[in-house]
Amino acid sequence: MTNAILTGLMLGGMYALIAMGLTLQYGVARIMNLSYGEFLIAAAFASHWLFTGWAISPFVGLTLVVPAAFLLNFAIYKLLLTPLVRRAPNRDALEVDSILATFGLTFVIQGSMLALFGGAYYSYSFLAFPVQFLGETVAANRLAALGITILLGLVLYLALTRTRAGTAVRAVAVDPFAAQLVAINVPQASALTFALGGALVAAAGVLVSTFLTFSASSGVVFTMKALIVVVMGGVGNMLGCLVAGLALGLSESLVASYVDPGLTLAVNFALFLTVLLVKPAGLFGRATR
Amino acid sequence: MTARTAGLGVLTLVALVLLAFVPRLGNPYYLALAISLLQYTVLATAWGMFSGPTRYVSLATTAFFGVGAYTVAVLGEILPWPLVLLIAAALGAFVAAIVGLSTLRLSGVYFVIFTFGLTELIRQLVVWFEVNKSRVLGRYVFVDITQADIYWQLLALAAAVFLLGWLIARSRLGFALRVIGEDETVAKHCGIDTTFAKVALFTISATVMTLVGAIMAPRWTYIEPSIAFNSMISFQVLIMALLGGAHRLWGPVLGAVPLTLLFELLSARFPNTFTIILGCIFLLIVYMLPRGVAGLIEKLAAAPGGKTTGRVAA
């Protein structure tokens, strides 16, 4: 039982980390990014390449991959998504357009990775030794990933609540029109937040690659999980993200150990639907309509 | 107006009769191509029937297609063919009604997310059932259906879909859906039962998709979940309907025909970069043709030089 719960907590922490970037992108920039998982896999491949080709530890790799991802996502927002933002008459139209555009982007990225790396599964051995933790044996790489996740989450939380820029970002999330009235550069804030979300998913990709096998086509699974966590937790809500991620991880791990490992996705959806039917705005979301 | 409608009706009938002779040409390649064209035409039109007026983007085409195909794989040898089709349709309608009732009350984005994963969910459930209960993964389909039979059935289904779409557009339901597409809150205040309208149309559209899957199933002799629930179909249908223009009944055909031919060509010539090309085409359509070919035609027709507005033909 302890083992199942511990596995669930670690899995949940990973889901929360993966979903953090998406909740920023969707909550602030209003871009429902369906190519989110592809960015995660791209970062995982980058980390794999740095580690096996150049013997660069993933922790050092983070400092290379994350800024690169920030710049790349900033460029994507400016070049690809700004035209859609300008074209959209309202938020709903932008959501549909952004879903379609990022959906197309999914294929471009996935196809490029398939062409580069083929359809095979990749993994590498990093910190792959067992350690004792709370009386259970766990892999050191998972524990390290969990530690960095907590650190990242904490830094992000403090940045959003304690700094001027963070306050501006939260203001845009609440009401972009009113934010403009208090002299916040909304397009700039949206672009930077989108890029920040991209940087977070890259960090998640690097961490995930240290303990999971991945392939060019496994991005969709991560997109799904991230979307479910974001919607369950309430869009744009960091605490909701954490709680929903943990709930998802725990339920998955418990069902896998006590019912059937083949039914984890069914559990995800059951949880997702139940939350939405009871609280349409998510666990911590504000009811807007 | 009535003369025009009658003229269109006669034209459609003539076209149907001519199309019915395609298998008689005796060229298996053209027959196979014609089947693909009809398959995507019906799927894209069915997709547009629901997503066009309501503007709810559904990514669940494959889920229903797969349910149809799997019904045939399980029951095809045991029961007579018409009964199998009937059961497939009923099953598709049942799944669609459940999905619709539980998700269509939610806002559009949540619906996209749910349908995005629905295919994967149903596939996992089928795999789980086959592995744990029936102890087989993958089934052989031995039914006495020729390629020509598949073609004629699809043609009949296509005719039925267009007739159905035409009737719905003229009914109260069609009007209700257009109001929902314009503004759902307004629709509610007008006393329209938005949930009923959406679920009804979603079910109709999904039943058609399920039937396509069932009719297409005998094309493979061996079916397993990864074949029946190949999510590529959802994506391709979505692109086709968007290119054609989902806000008109005849719009999706304008996308389905050229794209089926293009995909046929590309997947044969560039199997490795097919996905990248697919994505680029998708992006081009979203940026260049937000209202599809049908929207472009209407715009040209409504331009100062044109005479008609193109509204009549819906």
Side-chain angles (χ1 to χ4, degrees), chain A:
Chain A
M1 190 71 183
T2 332
N3 194 16
I5 289 179
L6 203 60
T7 315
L9 285 178
M10 286 208 208
L11 202 63
M14 184 182 88
Y15 289 158
L17 169 72
I18 292 172
M20 258 191 315
L22 189 68
T23 206
L24 271 183
Q25 288 186 341
Y26 183 50
V28 180
R30 278 285 141 175
I31 301 293
M32 178 49 92
N33 187 358
L34 284 191
S35 60
Y36 191 75
E38 267 60 39
F39 284 100
L40 186 139
I41 298 296
F45 270 119
S47 175
H48 180 269
W49 178 69
L50 286 173
F51 186 73
T52 52
W54 306 80
I56 296 174
S57 143
F59 295 147
V60 181
L62 274 177
T63 60
L64 299 171
V65 176
V66 171
F70 184 88
L71 291 177
L72 179 71
N73 277 279
F74 189 77
I76 285 177
Y77 187 87
K78 282 287 176 193
L79 296 176
L80 218 58
L81 299 171
T82 309
L84 294 181
V85 176
R86 292 226 179 93
R87 185 172 91 185
N90 54 39
R91 268 192 166 190
D92 288 342
L94 175 61
E95 275 176 13
V96 173
D97 269 357
S98 69
I99 285 173
L100 295 175
T102 55
F103 191 49
L105 196 61
T106 304
F107 286 107
V108 177
I109 303 174
Q110 198 188 57
S112 312
M113 290 194 298
L114 272 173
L116 280 172
F117 303 102
Y121 278 85
Y122 283 76
S123 68
Y124 54 94
S125 179
F126 174 72
L127 289 184
F129 51 84
V131 286
Q132 291 293 317
F133 183 68
L134 298 180
E136 293 286 338
T137 315
V138 292
N141 47 25
R142 277 180 183 266
L143 209 58
L146 189 66
I148 296 182
T149 302
I150 294 170
L151 194 70
L152 275 175
L154 212 62
V155 168
L156 190 66
Y157 179 78
L158 290 176
L160 280 176
T161 50
R162 298 280 190 277
T163 67
R164 212 177 149 77
T167 312
V169 162
R170 284 187 299 135
V172 176
V174 174
D175 190 337
F177 187 71
Q180 273 180 327
L181 298 179
V182 290
I184 292 171
N185 187 344
V186 172
Q188 195 68 16
S190 296
L192 287 174
T193 316
F194 185 84
L196 184 62
L200 278 172
V201 71
V206 171
L207 292 177
V208 163
S209 75
T210 61
F211 60 89
L212 276 188
T213 52
F214 53 93
S215 79
S217 45
S218 47
V220 179
V221 183
F222 291 106
T223 310
M224 265 329 296
K225 298 265 154 101
L227 285 171
I228 291 177
V229 170
V230 166
V231 171
M232 259 172 54
V235 171
N237 191 308
M238 288 294 147
L239 186 64
C241 206
L242 183 67
V243 172
L246 290 179
L248 205 65
L250 273 178
S251 62
E252 252 185 44
S253 143
L254 288 177
V255 166
S257 7
Y258 294 106
V259 187
D260 193 305
L263 291 176
T264 50
L265 199 73
V267 175
N268 284 351
F269 273 87
L271 210 60
F272 175 73
L273 265 187
T274 318
V275 168
L276 279 188
L277 291 176
V278 179
K279 291 203 71 176
L283 291 173
F284 294 87
R286 290 174 306 273
T288 46
R289 52 174 101 193

Side-chain angles (χ1 to χ4, degrees), chain B residues 163-174:
Chain B
L163 186 66
L164 197 66
W166 187 77
L167 289 174
I168 289 176
R170 262 146 197 76
S171 68
R172 287 176 65 89
L173 182 62

